[in-house]
Amino acid sequence: MADPLVIFTPSGKRGRFPAGTPVLTAARQLGVDLDSVCGGRGICSKCQVSPGVGEFSKHGVTVAPDALSGWNAVEQRYKDKRGMIDGRRLGCQAQILGDVVIDVPAESQVHRQVVRKSATARDIVMDPATRVFYVEVAEPDMHEPSGDLERLAAALKTQWDISDIRADIDVMRKLQPTLRAGKWAVTVALFRDHRGGAWRLIDLWPGLREAPLCGLAIDLGSTTIAAHLVDLRTGAVLASNGIMNPQIRFGEDLMSRVSYAMMNPGGDQEMTRAVRDGMNALITETAAEAGVDTRDLVEAVVVCNPVMHHLFLGIDPVELGQAPFALATSDAVELPARDLGLSAMNPAARLYMLPCIAGHVGADAAAVALSEAPDKSEDLVLVVDVGTNAEILLGNRDRVLACSSPTGPAFEGAQISSGQRAAPGAIERLEIDPVSKEPRFRVIGCELWSDEPGFAEATAATGITGICGSGIIEAVAEMRMAGIVDAAGLIGSAEQTGTWRCQPEGRTHAYLIHDASAQGGPRITVTQGDIRAIQLAKSALYAGARLLMDELGVDQVDRVVLAGAFGAHISPKHAMVLGMIPDAALEKVTSAGNAAGTGARIALCNTGARAAIETTVQQIHKVETAIEPRFQEHFVNASAMPHAVDPFPQLAQVVKLPDLSFNTGGGDAEGGRRRRRRA
Amino acid sequence: MADPLVIFTPSGKRGRFPAGTPVLTAARQLGVDLDSVCGGRGICSKCQVSPGVGEFSKHGVTVAPDALSGWNAVEQRYKDKRGMIDGRRLGCQAQILGDVVIDVPAESQVHRQVVRKSATARDIVMDPATRVFYVEVAEPDMHEPSGDLERLAAALKTQWDISDIRADIDVMRKLQPTLRAGKWAVTVALFRDHRGGAWRLIDLWPGLREAPLCGLAIDLGSTTIAAHLVDLRTGAVLASNGIMNPQIRFGEDLMSRVSYAMMNPGGDQEMTRAVRDGMNALITETAAEAGVDTRDLVEAVVVCNPVMHHLFLGIDPVELGQAPFALATSDAVELPARDLGLSAMNPAARLYMLPCIAGHVGADAAAVALSEAPDKSEDLVLVVDVGTNAEILLGNRDRVLACSSPTGPAFEGAQISSGQRAAPGAIERLEIDPVSKEPRFRVIGCELWSDEPGFAEATAATGITGICGSGIIEAVAEMRMAGIVDAAGLIGSAEQTGTWRCQPEGRTHAYLIHDASAQGGPRITVTQGDIRAIQLAKSALYAGARLLMDELGVDQVDRVVLAGAFGAHISPKHAMVLGMIPDAALEKVTSAGNAAGTGARIALCNTGARAAIETTVQQIHKVETAIEPRFQEHFVNASAMPHAVDPFPQLAQVVKLPDLSFNTGGGDAEGGRRRRRRA
């Protein structure tokens, strides 16, 4: 009689095994992805499976009720102690006695899939670089002397088929007491570089340890640092947190920080200390929020632009401030987190930085490429990630181009007269009635619009304090659509615009949004200077995208993905009214949220993704905006807000753009600059 | 016509090359060991060769005077600047035009041989883990952006066929300024683990750097730390130095240090700090003496016993104080020197510790095995290395056994009433006239014997301060030979021995060597307690050797190699009179000097030796003395100094041993212990 047939779902893998074979053993032999930390000793319960009973016509088998050995004491003890869903079995305990179909639930898979919320986003499959293994180590024998580490390595070889173990000196110090505390049974955390090679002993605990190991996906921006704390077993984000980059006191934008390093001996090291201190504070706080011991933080993935990359690594960024913008290193960096002073993690924690694409296109752009995968796209996609710099990717699976554009911090609310960072009390949405020219707005921390009942009461606590990045973009776009600003970007007078809210300010005008000065509050306006700052920023962004389109020889893109602050808060409609991004059908413009952060999270959860992005980055063609004459040309041409005649049917339905143009006399250089038609 | 024939000596490698081929190119293609740091650019001059002219009948060629291209400007410039032996040519400049015989002098070979002084010692062939390479790096190109590190790696690949470069973060910080200071030409120091794999960028300098890189071979003993500073190009020892191990304040011998760690929380860390601080001081001093910048110290090899091994690595040695004497790790350790707090070296310097053989047989024993190679010996060799512990190896190429024996510090002059460390003023040699029973001696720092004219004047500055380790052994052996001490180790009275120098001290007697008490100086005697201490130490040593002989089933060894303090200062004759070592023909007893230190130096100079000793150690059979009942038995039996009837003809010629035995009555436990015949 043939051996019993075992079919695993969802993989569909099947094979015949001698009666009495444990399900876990069968799964291993077939290469079925069934987890186990204890190696089949019935103590970790990671190998839970759901055996089926009855007819499985799809698989051509009928499963008898006694196809598996009976429920046993080990399973009962685990169920009593921790609970277990009815019908589940432990794969290491249940033995195969007859033909059987066995389902491996998602939570029992090592390489389980982490579902991302966005429809366009790719899935994350768990395959972290650091994993835990329970192992029973031989006791020392005077007659066959060998070190505890060597016996641990031998046990890992026998019990897990893992060879080539290396241990840092810090871990070595714990080895002997931990082995003895665990009575020669320990749970070890092993890290393996995605390039393969040796396994690194990160930490160990006596006996079976159940607490999950965690990692950090860190988006180190010029202005803010954001961290996600991720369970390396499930991929779940246990806490997210952000702080201002403490380097801001050395300069708001990247070039001012590079200048600081050039002008001040040791200035780069000051900035290095500042960002590392900030990072440690952020990590400590995030771990506390998640209720995770910092010793359990065993990995970090950091993405950032090249200047932040160098400053974080402790490398003087001076070369990045001048042509030819040479990076000290462009490849991915993998090193001990402690080498970068990250003391708020496990002492043996490893840190990975994605590769940089070029001197102005950093690991953050690589992370966006990893998250949004333009290199896998069938149609031509433009991916734009706006921070203090904009990272721009254009391409499809044939070819991907990348550049970075110095948009400055205006899109983040900086260098704006009433600007502020996104915080309760900041105006984040704004509409202007095209007829009455009256504004209505919403502030962060309140769901109501300013003209809805109860708004004053709801915002009494925070007040209305300023305009954040998304708010200023909506404000400028709405002003343009309401005819308060002309195509050249000039704010009209009260007479020209027909609203008292356009008030003189110096030789120009400002549009009043909210005035609480009578109550000692702020007077929030959009000034001519604000419009100019937004125009400069959006021109830079647009020019970068156009430059890539020129390079690829196209006039149109199939779709646009907005990432970063952009994707999260700025509406595609307003972005297009302003001319921030090239024309595309509105339904082809999607948001990817914090794509750089997501890319970091993918690289944290899936070691294969690190190898993949390192290869991809090699194939991305870099375009340097700073030396490209066409960039300047596009930049100058893009300063206008041109949609007087709207080319998009979708946009035309909602936007009626007046073609008025204010003439303020030839003496005004700003007003005298005129829109030029784009080719 | 055939291409010219080139024959290299001393290798004898030969081949034909098109006329115009540089000698260096031909050497490379033939695999001839001809050095070059600059890669053939005529700037490093390492590729100097001596072309022959005339008839070479051995090789069957006649070399015409114009067999090589003429002396050129590059060679003349180098000769003017640095000098060059007449007749030498630069291999990269001289081109092959006709049949030629070219000699590669030793100093132009990468793998040159370092001749060791001792006749029995093996040669060292230079093949260090860290080497320098001159490389010209492509300048950055904005249009093909890549990091400086990646371009350096590409240049190393093209110019030296070296792949897989890794750089620590500290070196990365220097990369950009150094490349620019050197106008894109740099000399890099690369380290490669003897297990192969990646090359590690240790440091770099602008342009061609000529100063040699150096390494340290360190013998970390319980009592002293000795360092040799070695030129990694030539193998020359540029300076040697030693200090007392600062851990001595925590206990004289190993077990008292382990006890200190057990009794005092944090005591192990105190001792770790002490030895690391001492090591840094020693390194700094040695580098200063050699005139070498500590940044040029790029490697260290450390050998030591297991307790020192653990304390130096920062691992609590508590497990080594109790059975089963488990090491935290027994394999070789390779790690950054900075991880052990060695700040007095290059920040990226690497440190290698030889493997331990067992919980009581350390990396120092492995180093002795590497230096003396019992595993390569045709005849049965006993290698004994005496320090505070004795490491004992016995075997031949079929099998090698090892053990360690706790001799204590008596052989080093400690725990001896007039004992002191080896320093000027210490008695190091001693003879006793068998008739008059009068002593004569020599002290360290003076070539004269004490009965020679001018001795008093020559030693006036230092005085005569005590007896060092070798002195006490000679003293006890001479006392035995002069009939002052009996076979059981008892000092006789003045009446029994016939000399006034045997004076009562408590219930026993002491032999007076030198009395300066009238001048306020010391009174130097050998007491009964001293004899007892030496008896215990030599019994432990002898018992260890006998245990290994039992294990191998032999009663005789073919030869004995004495290493450590033993080899350097103790005469084989006296060692055998005392019964420190098993019987062997006197001419078969040789000295290996500081064999552990030599082993460290071999491992420092030759990376292949590291791989070799790691394999060898796996094959050495370890015998644990502490739990072996036969060790105790041998130990008790070995306490006597038995050579009343001398079994050795050689020894018999010089030694007339009286068979007297002093009877001091049954009440004295010490005196009552009687010699037992050995099986």
mmCIF file of all heavy atoms in Angstrom, chain B residues 631-659:
data_model
loop_
_atom_site.group_PDB
_atom_site.id
_atom_site.type_symbol
_atom_site.label_atom_id
_atom_site.label_comp_id
_atom_site.label_asym_id
_atom_site.label_seq_id
_atom_site.Cartn_x
_atom_site.Cartn_y
_atom_site.Cartn_z
ATOM 1 N N PHE B 631 47.756 12.266 37.032
ATOM 2 C CA PHE B 631 48.525 13.494 37.185
ATOM 3 C C PHE B 631 48.916 13.679 38.648
ATOM 4 O O PHE B 631 50.064 13.962 38.975
ATOM 5 C CB PHE B 631 47.726 14.709 36.691
ATOM 6 C CG PHE B 631 48.464 16.010 36.860
ATOM 7 C CD1 PHE B 631 49.438 16.395 35.948
ATOM 8 C CD2 PHE B 631 48.210 16.839 37.945
ATOM 9 C CE1 PHE B 631 50.136 17.582 36.105
ATOM 10 C CE2 PHE B 631 48.905 18.034 38.106
ATOM 11 C CZ PHE B 631 49.870 18.404 37.183
ATOM 12 N N GLN B 632 47.961 13.464 39.548
ATOM 13 C CA GLN B 632 48.235 13.582 40.978
ATOM 14 C C GLN B 632 49.316 12.602 41.402
ATOM 15 O O GLN B 632 50.230 12.927 42.156
ATOM 16 C CB GLN B 632 46.950 13.331 41.788
ATOM 17 C CG GLN B 632 45.922 14.459 41.664
ATOM 18 C CD GLN B 632 46.483 15.808 42.090
ATOM 19 O OE1 GLN B 632 47.282 15.895 43.022
ATOM 20 N NE2 GLN B 632 46.092 16.857 41.390
ATOM 21 N N GLU B 633 49.209 11.415 40.886
ATOM 22 C CA GLU B 633 50.164 10.371 41.207
ATOM 23 C C GLU B 633 51.580 10.753 40.758
ATOM 24 O O GLU B 633 52.539 10.719 41.528
ATOM 25 C CB GLU B 633 49.708 9.084 40.507
ATOM 26 C CG GLU B 633 50.272 7.811 41.074
ATOM 27 C CD GLU B 633 49.755 6.621 40.269
ATOM 28 O OE1 GLU B 633 48.511 6.557 40.032
ATOM 29 O OE2 GLU B 633 50.581 5.785 39.857
ATOM 30 N N HIS B 634 51.671 11.171 39.503
ATOM 31 C CA HIS B 634 52.970 11.622 39.000
ATOM 32 C C HIS B 634 53.484 12.808 39.801
ATOM 33 O O HIS B 634 54.666 12.924 40.079
ATOM 34 C CB HIS B 634 52.855 12.022 37.522
ATOM 35 C CG HIS B 634 52.783 10.859 36.584
ATOM 36 N ND1 HIS B 634 53.728 9.862 36.558
ATOM 37 C CD2 HIS B 634 51.869 10.540 35.627
ATOM 38 C CE1 HIS B 634 53.415 8.988 35.626
ATOM 39 N NE2 HIS B 634 52.284 9.353 35.052
ATOM 40 N N PHE B 635 52.578 13.668 40.154
ATOM 41 C CA PHE B 635 52.940 14.885 40.865
ATOM 42 C C PHE B 635 53.591 14.544 42.208
ATOM 43 O O PHE B 635 54.658 15.050 42.555
ATOM 44 C CB PHE B 635 51.678 15.740 41.068
ATOM 45 C CG PHE B 635 51.928 17.030 41.796
ATOM 46 C CD1 PHE B 635 52.472 18.114 41.120
ATOM 47 C CD2 PHE B 635 51.616 17.154 43.131
ATOM 48 C CE1 PHE B 635 52.697 19.301 41.785
ATOM 49 C CE2 PHE B 635 51.843 18.345 43.798
ATOM 50 C CZ PHE B 635 52.384 19.429 43.127
ATOM 51 N N VAL B 636 52.964 13.643 42.946
ATOM 52 C CA VAL B 636 53.496 13.254 44.257
ATOM 53 C C VAL B 636 54.845 12.572 44.072
ATOM 54 O O VAL B 636 55.825 12.864 44.772
ATOM 55 C CB VAL B 636 52.488 12.320 44.971
ATOM 56 C CG1 VAL B 636 53.125 11.711 46.215
ATOM 57 C CG2 VAL B 636 51.227 13.101 45.322
ATOM 58 N N ASN B 637 54.932 11.694 43.077
ATOM 59 C CA ASN B 637 56.159 10.937 42.854
ATOM 60 C C ASN B 637 57.311 11.807 42.387
ATOM 61 O O ASN B 637 58.477 11.427 42.509
ATOM 62 C CB ASN B 637 55.922 9.844 41.814
ATOM 63 C CG ASN B 637 55.037 8.742 42.371
ATOM 64 O OD1 ASN B 637 54.786 8.715 43.583
ATOM 65 N ND2 ASN B 637 54.561 7.867 41.511
ATOM 66 N N ALA B 638 56.961 12.958 41.813
ATOM 67 C CA ALA B 638 57.999 13.755 41.167
ATOM 68 C C ALA B 638 58.629 14.766 42.100
ATOM 69 O O ALA B 638 59.512 15.519 41.703
ATOM 70 C CB ALA B 638 57.399 14.479 39.956
ATOM 71 N N SER B 639 58.197 14.797 43.365
ATOM 72 C CA SER B 639 58.676 15.865 44.241
ATOM 73 C C SER B 639 60.171 15.710 44.553
ATOM 74 O O SER B 639 60.867 16.680 44.850
ATOM 75 C CB SER B 639 57.824 15.886 45.520
ATOM 76 O OG SER B 639 58.591 15.595 46.646
ATOM 77 N N ALA B 640 60.700 14.495 44.483
ATOM 78 C CA ALA B 640 62.114 14.280 44.815
ATOM 79 C C ALA B 640 63.038 14.798 43.715
ATOM 80 O O ALA B 640 62.609 15.056 42.585
ATOM 81 C CB ALA B 640 62.362 12.795 45.030
ATOM 82 N N MET B 641 64.318 14.979 44.095
ATOM 83 C CA MET B 641 65.354 15.331 43.128
ATOM 84 C C MET B 641 66.290 14.129 43.079
ATOM 85 O O MET B 641 67.221 14.024 43.856
ATOM 86 C CB MET B 641 66.040 16.603 43.574
ATOM 87 C CG MET B 641 65.071 17.782 43.455
ATOM 88 S SD MET B 641 65.723 19.345 44.027
ATOM 89 C CE MET B 641 65.576 19.142 45.781
ATOM 90 N N PRO B 642 66.037 13.187 42.188
ATOM 91 C CA PRO B 642 66.429 11.800 42.365
ATOM 92 C C PRO B 642 67.792 11.398 41.845
ATOM 93 O O PRO B 642 68.169 10.251 42.006
ATOM 94 C CB PRO B 642 65.349 11.075 41.569
ATOM 95 C CG PRO B 642 65.059 12.009 40.440
ATOM 96 C CD PRO B 642 65.347 13.392 40.919
ATOM 97 N N HIS B 643 68.506 12.287 41.192
ATOM 98 C CA HIS B 643 69.637 11.802 40.422
ATOM 99 C C HIS B 643 70.853 11.418 41.254
ATOM 100 O O HIS B 643 71.963 11.833 40.987
ATOM 101 C CB HIS B 643 70.026 12.804 39.342
ATOM 102 C CG HIS B 643 69.036 12.796 38.233
ATOM 103 N ND1 HIS B 643 68.767 11.691 37.461
ATOM 104 C CD2 HIS B 643 68.207 13.757 37.788
ATOM 105 C CE1 HIS B 643 67.839 11.975 36.581
ATOM 106 N NE2 HIS B 643 67.471 13.227 36.754
ATOM 107 N N ALA B 644 70.626 10.599 42.282
ATOM 108 C CA ALA B 644 71.744 10.117 43.089
ATOM 109 C C ALA B 644 72.608 9.192 42.245
ATOM 110 O O ALA B 644 73.829 9.267 42.250
ATOM 111 C CB ALA B 644 71.217 9.375 44.302
ATOM 112 N N VAL B 645 71.966 8.323 41.501
ATOM 113 C CA VAL B 645 72.694 7.517 40.532
ATOM 114 C C VAL B 645 72.279 8.007 39.157
ATOM 115 O O VAL B 645 71.124 7.899 38.767
ATOM 116 C CB VAL B 645 72.362 6.013 40.689
ATOM 117 C CG1 VAL B 645 73.113 5.210 39.626
ATOM 118 C CG2 VAL B 645 72.726 5.553 42.082
ATOM 119 N N ASP B 646 73.207 8.593 38.463
ATOM 120 C CA ASP B 646 72.864 9.315 37.236
ATOM 121 C C ASP B 646 72.718 8.367 36.066
ATOM 122 O O ASP B 646 73.660 7.662 35.708
ATOM 123 C CB ASP B 646 73.965 10.326 36.955
ATOM 124 C CG ASP B 646 73.549 11.245 35.840
ATOM 125 O OD1 ASP B 646 72.491 10.998 35.214
ATOM 126 O OD2 ASP B 646 74.291 12.186 35.588
ATOM 127 N N PRO B 647 71.545 8.355 35.436
ATOM 128 C CA PRO B 647 71.353 7.463 34.302
ATOM 129 C C PRO B 647 71.973 7.996 33.016
ATOM 130 O O PRO B 647 72.042 7.259 32.041
ATOM 131 C CB PRO B 647 69.838 7.379 34.184
ATOM 132 C CG PRO B 647 69.342 8.675 34.735
ATOM 133 C CD PRO B 647 70.344 9.140 35.742
ATOM 134 N N PHE B 648 72.366 9.265 32.983
ATOM 135 C CA PHE B 648 72.870 9.823 31.723
ATOM 136 C C PHE B 648 74.381 9.879 31.730
ATOM 137 O O PHE B 648 74.956 10.539 32.579
ATOM 138 C CB PHE B 648 72.372 11.241 31.508
ATOM 139 C CG PHE B 648 70.914 11.370 31.770
ATOM 140 C CD1 PHE B 648 70.474 12.092 32.862
ATOM 141 C CD2 PHE B 648 69.992 10.753 30.938
ATOM 142 C CE1 PHE B 648 69.140 12.204 33.109
ATOM 143 C CE2 PHE B 648 68.653 10.872 31.206
ATOM 144 C CZ PHE B 648 68.213 11.601 32.290
ATOM 145 N N PRO B 649 75.027 9.280 30.758
ATOM 146 C CA PRO B 649 76.493 9.379 30.706
ATOM 147 C C PRO B 649 76.947 10.842 30.603
ATOM 148 O O PRO B 649 77.880 11.251 31.276
ATOM 149 C CB PRO B 649 76.855 8.594 29.446
ATOM 150 C CG PRO B 649 75.623 7.920 28.960
ATOM 151 C CD PRO B 649 74.459 8.463 29.682
ATOM 152 N N GLN B 650 76.267 11.631 29.744
ATOM 153 C CA GLN B 650 76.690 13.022 29.580
ATOM 154 C C GLN B 650 76.657 13.763 30.904
ATOM 155 O O GLN B 650 77.547 14.502 31.273
ATOM 156 C CB GLN B 650 75.777 13.767 28.602
ATOM 157 C CG GLN B 650 75.767 13.230 27.188
ATOM 158 C CD GLN B 650 74.680 12.195 26.979
ATOM 159 O OE1 GLN B 650 74.208 11.585 27.957
ATOM 160 N NE2 GLN B 650 74.304 11.957 25.751
ATOM 161 N N LEU B 651 75.551 13.554 31.605
ATOM 162 C CA LEU B 651 75.357 14.278 32.850
ATOM 163 C C LEU B 651 76.347 13.751 33.894
ATOM 164 O O LEU B 651 76.907 14.508 34.682
ATOM 165 C CB LEU B 651 73.922 14.057 33.327
ATOM 166 C CG LEU B 651 73.309 15.135 34.214
ATOM 167 C CD1 LEU B 651 73.425 16.506 33.554
ATOM 168 C CD2 LEU B 651 71.853 14.816 34.480
ATOM 169 N N ALA B 652 76.597 12.448 33.844
ATOM 170 C CA ALA B 652 77.465 11.829 34.837
ATOM 171 C C ALA B 652 78.861 12.431 34.809
ATOM 172 O O ALA B 652 79.538 12.513 35.820
ATOM 173 C CB ALA B 652 77.537 10.326 34.595
ATOM 174 N N GLN B 653 79.263 12.884 33.600
ATOM 175 C CA GLN B 653 80.600 13.458 33.498
ATOM 176 C C GLN B 653 80.748 14.745 34.305
ATOM 177 O O GLN B 653 81.828 15.082 34.774
ATOM 178 C CB GLN B 653 80.926 13.755 32.029
ATOM 179 C CG GLN B 653 81.171 12.473 31.234
ATOM 180 C CD GLN B 653 80.976 12.680 29.754
ATOM 181 O OE1 GLN B 653 81.057 13.805 29.259
ATOM 182 N NE2 GLN B 653 80.703 11.612 29.032
ATOM 183 N N VAL B 654 79.692 15.455 34.429
ATOM 184 C CA VAL B 654 79.816 16.751 35.112
ATOM 185 C C VAL B 654 79.195 16.752 36.497
ATOM 186 O O VAL B 654 79.508 17.590 37.318
ATOM 187 C CB VAL B 654 79.196 17.878 34.268
ATOM 188 C CG1 VAL B 654 80.054 18.160 33.042
ATOM 189 C CG2 VAL B 654 77.769 17.542 33.865
ATOM 190 N N VAL B 655 78.333 15.801 36.726
ATOM 191 C CA VAL B 655 77.572 15.861 37.972
ATOM 192 C C VAL B 655 77.905 14.651 38.856
ATOM 193 O O VAL B 655 77.771 13.522 38.435
ATOM 194 C CB VAL B 655 76.059 15.870 37.686
ATOM 195 C CG1 VAL B 655 75.289 16.102 38.977
ATOM 196 C CG2 VAL B 655 75.703 16.903 36.645
ATOM 197 N N LYS B 656 78.369 14.936 40.011
ATOM 198 C CA LYS B 656 78.553 13.854 40.985
ATOM 199 C C LYS B 656 77.549 14.093 42.096
ATOM 200 O O LYS B 656 77.702 15.013 42.896
ATOM 201 C CB LYS B 656 79.965 13.880 41.576
ATOM 202 C CG LYS B 656 81.061 13.758 40.532
ATOM 203 C CD LYS B 656 81.300 12.309 40.147
ATOM 204 C CE LYS B 656 82.355 12.211 39.056
ATOM 205 N NZ LYS B 656 81.922 11.429 37.902
ATOM 206 N N LEU B 657 76.523 13.274 42.104
ATOM 207 C CA LEU B 657 75.463 13.517 43.082
ATOM 208 C C LEU B 657 75.652 12.644 44.302
ATOM 209 O O LEU B 657 75.700 11.418 44.185
ATOM 210 C CB LEU B 657 74.101 13.223 42.451
ATOM 211 C CG LEU B 657 73.648 14.203 41.370
ATOM 212 C CD1 LEU B 657 72.387 13.696 40.722
ATOM 213 C CD2 LEU B 657 73.434 15.579 41.982
ATOM 214 N N PRO B 658 75.802 13.247 45.484
ATOM 215 C CA PRO B 658 75.909 12.451 46.699
ATOM 216 C C PRO B 658 74.578 11.785 47.008
ATOM 217 O O PRO B 658 73.525 12.300 46.652
ATOM 218 C CB PRO B 658 76.271 13.476 47.771
ATOM 219 C CG PRO B 658 75.770 14.778 47.225
ATOM 220 C CD PRO B 658 75.776 14.682 45.737
ATOM 221 N N ASP B 659 74.625 10.615 47.638
ATOM 222 C CA ASP B 659 73.378 9.930 47.958
ATOM 223 C C ASP B 659 73.005 10.113 49.429
ATOM 224 O O ASP B 659 72.241 9.333 49.986
ATOM 225 C CB ASP B 659 73.452 8.455 47.566
ATOM 226 C CG ASP B 659 74.591 7.763 48.267
ATOM 227 O OD1 ASP B 659 75.326 8.458 49.016
ATOM 228 O OD2 ASP B 659 74.736 6.555 48.065
#
